Amino acid sequence: MAIVKGKRSLPGVRLAHRKNTQGFQTQAMPVPDTVKIPMCQHMGAVCQPLVKPGDTVYVGQKIGEVDHPRCVPIHSSVSGTVTALEDYTTYSGVVCKAVVIQTDQQQTPDPSVAPPVLTDKASFIRAVYESGMVGLGGAGFPTHLKLNFQEDLHVDALIINGAECEPYITADHREFLEHPEDIVEGIQKVLHYLGIAKAYIGIETNKPDAIRLMQERTASLPDIQIIPLCSVYPQGAEKVLIYAATGRVIEAGTIPVQAGVIVMNVCTVSQLNRYFRTGMPLISRRVTVDGDCIGQPKNAEVLIGSSIQDVVDFCGGFRQEPKKVLMGGPMMGVAVYDLHTPIIKNNNAILCFSEEAARIPQETACIRCGKCSQVCPVGIMPRALEKAYDAQNLDELERLQVNLCLNCGCCSYICPAKRNLAQKNQLAKMLLRANTKR
């Protein structure tokens, strides 16, 4: 394994990139007639609505919050009238309220919207909280919690995740090309207010224009370094990226901050800087819309709460009826059952596939080739874990460290028998969590 910075890489798989929209400038989607804004859009506490039917709301107005350390406030993406508070079930099974707003098409900003005053770490963390920011790379972890680390942890490295290793998705790529100033300024603010010495921007080598542009913009900034990354999936996984950029290994049972590292998605740090400049919280995001069923693939700037159907209509509708619609990429995305599902903060793609493209291959018997273990970036044994899960053997699942699984799907992808190994790992983790003694 090479040890040159940016060249080291953990095991993984080579995927067809299919970055069909990488050259497509982001287009702002028109304001829809209605939006449905769920009160659960991040890991942590579910927000409670701060508005009721009949209320007038404005763009950037806080409409959801709860007094809990793991809360992130939710803001209106439109101006208009609240028409309903509906029960809504997220794709993870959480039941929450959703605020339904009939838009007035005026997009009137809330009078309270103003750039925050940043003076020290405390005011910086408070501003990050008020921005409503969560990780925009997919997980949706509250950003203010990630950045509010204890001083004795001695964090000295900030890693900006621009790998974007999933096929099709080009939202992060476009962020580099369209907002390099916000990326650099956002990084500088994080370094300054948190006292971090160095930042590393990781970009896969299949994005040479982004690498070149960011090298130019940071040439005079010794505290920011561009790290070209091998184009191996899942290069953007947090533990994999940390190792590729710094050589540090995140041990089992620890988190990156304990190794002196913080990882932020490139869109997260860029969007934060726009909030610091304008005071407008997170109300929209760029979404890659692609797949063989989409009439006009695009990168679309979408107001949070817009329905998938609204987004599809903006992208020319369907060429043919889709068999499967994903929020996210084909490796780790979530299939949705209703085109009225709203876009939330951590959605970075809508992919629509025909029956032929979405066909699930028939599962056959394991041939014990070992490929699943060879490509696993964290070195666990998917086949042994599958056997332990099928036997409901909790002790064996713990011994084999199923909780290290990244849910990247490399094992299922490479398996010649097409076994559902990644899915079994997720079920195994749920099984362990359900056992309260463990």
Side-chain angles (χ1 to χ4, degrees):
M1 182 182 296
I3 59 173
V4 178
K5 186 167 288 186
K7 298 297 184 181
R8 63 172 73 85
S9 182
L10 293 170
V13 294
R14 301 278 181 175
L15 302 174
H17 297 146
R18 296 176 179 167
K19 305 289 191 178
N20 307 316
T21 59
Q22 63 184 1
F24 293 5
Q25 185 82 15
T26 305
Q27 298 181 32
M29 195 180 103
V31 179
D33 292 333
T34 62
V35 295
K36 179 187 291 186
I37 303 179
M39 294 291 100
C40 181
Q41 299 191 38
H42 58 271
M43 295 174 62
V46 175
C47 290
Q48 295 299 316
L50 302 178
V51 293
K52 61 184 184 303
D55 286 354
T56 298
V57 295
Y58 301 97
V59 179
Q61 178 180 333
K62 190 183 293 185
I63 61 171
E65 195 173 30
V66 69
D67 185 14
H68 190 282
R70 287 182 173 266
C71 168
V72 178
I74 294 171
H75 303 82
S76 177
S77 59
V78 297
S79 57
T81 304
V82 177
T83 59
L85 299 179
E86 295 182 354
D87 288 334
Y88 178 77
T89 303
T90 70
Y91 55 72
S92 61
V94 175
V95 178
C96 65
K97 291 294 183 182
V99 177
V100 181
I101 303 171
Q102 181 75 32
T103 64
D104 60 14
Q105 300 295 315
Q106 299 301 308
Q107 289 301 88
T108 305
D110 187 76
S112 67
V113 169
V117 177
L118 305 177
T119 59
D120 54 14
K121 180 179 177 180
S123 63
F124 177 81
I125 295 298
R126 184 65 193 178
V128 174
Y129 169 82
E130 293 293 348
S131 74
M133 187 58 61
V134 302
L136 299 182
F141 189 81
T143 303
H144 73 281
L145 291 180
K146 177 179 286 190
L147 300 184
N148 195 19
F149 54 86
Q150 298 176 2
E151 299 296 334
D152 60 357
L153 290 174
H154 305 297
V155 173
D156 64 352
L158 169 67
I159 300 178
I160 302 302
N161 189 348
E164 199 164 49
C165 54
E166 282 251 21
Y168 292 97
I169 308 176
T170 61
D172 290 353
H173 191 172
R174 294 309 309 179
E175 191 71 27
F176 283 118
L177 300 182
E178 297 174 20
H179 298 288
E181 296 86 358
D182 279 321
I183 295 169
V184 174
E185 290 176 11
I187 291 171
Q188 290 176 312
K189 286 185 175 67
V190 174
L191 296 181
H192 173 72
Y193 286 106
L194 301 187
I196 300 174
K198 187 88 173 181
Y200 304 90
I201 304 178
I203 310 174
E204 279 197 329
T205 53
N206 63 353
K207 307 170 185 64
D209 50 353
I211 292 174
R212 185 168 54 251
L213 178 59
M214 295 311 298
Q215 286 174 334
E216 292 172 357
R217 297 302 176 95
T218 61
S220 62
L221 302 172
D223 55 352
I224 302 178
Q225 182 176 347
I226 310 305
I227 306 293
L229 302 168
C230 298
S231 296
V232 177
Y233 177 84
Q235 192 67 269
E238 191 171 62
K239 293 180 180 180
V240 178
L241 178 62
I242 290 170
Y243 180 75
T246 68
R248 302 181 193 184
V249 176
I250 309 304
E251 302 290 348
T254 66
I255 57 177
V257 72
Q258 293 172 299
V261 180
I262 283 179
V263 179
M264 296 180 71
N265 174 265
V266 62
C267 289
T268 303
V269 75
S270 184
Q271 179 65 41
L272 268 181
N273 194 64
R274 288 193 283 280
Y275 172 72
F276 296 146
R277 284 194 291 107
T278 67
M280 183 58 70
L282 180 59
I283 61 166
S284 69
R285 68 151 309 150
R286 182 186 298 104
V287 177
T288 297
V289 188
D290 204 350
D292 64 340
C293 289
I294 289 292
Q296 301 169 12
K298 292 179 181 179
N299 283 301
E301 187 70 21
V302 180
L303 293 171
I304 290 169
S306 302
S307 71
I308 291 177
Q309 185 67 65
D310 289 332
V311 178
V312 169
D313 290 344
F314 177 62
C315 295
F318 291 126
R319 297 175 185 266
Q320 56 181 308
E321 191 71 19
K323 174 67 174 179
K324 183 167 289 187
V325 176
L326 300 179
M327 299 178 91
M331 296 297 288
M332 295 184 69
V334 176
V336 298
Y337 62 89
D338 185 354
L339 292 178
H340 292 97
T341 299
I343 299 296
I344 60 174
K345 294 178 180 181
N346 60 339
N347 290 155
N348 58 0
I350 297 295
L351 304 180
C352 305
F353 296 112
S354 65
E355 184 168 6
E356 180 179 357
R359 183 176 295 116
I360 298 175
Q362 183 177 357
E363 190 178 36
T364 59
C366 173
I367 62 173
R368 300 183 182 180
C369 64
K371 289 183 177 181
C372 57
S373 297
Q374 293 168 11
V375 301
C376 178
V378 294
I380 58 177
M381 297 184 288
R383 173 59 185 127
L385 285 164
E386 180 190 39
K387 185 177 180 180
Y389 173 76
D390 288 344
Q392 301 287 282
N393 189 332
L394 302 179
D395 292 328
E396 186 70 354
L397 290 173
E398 286 191 330
R399 187 185 72 81
L400 294 169
Q401 296 184 289
V402 69
N403 282 321
L404 288 180
C405 175
L406 303 177
N407 194 32
C408 65
C410 286
C411 51
S412 294
Y413 177 85
I414 203 69
C415 178
K418 306 304 178 185
R419 301 192 67 79
N420 295 319
L421 300 170
Q423 293 92 327
K424 286 288 180 69
N425 282 352
Q426 291 308 105
L427 291 171
K429 288 192 282 187
M430 292 171 63
L431 179 64
L432 287 181
R433 285 196 296 270
N435 189 310
T436 56
K437 294 183 295 183
R438 297 174 183 268

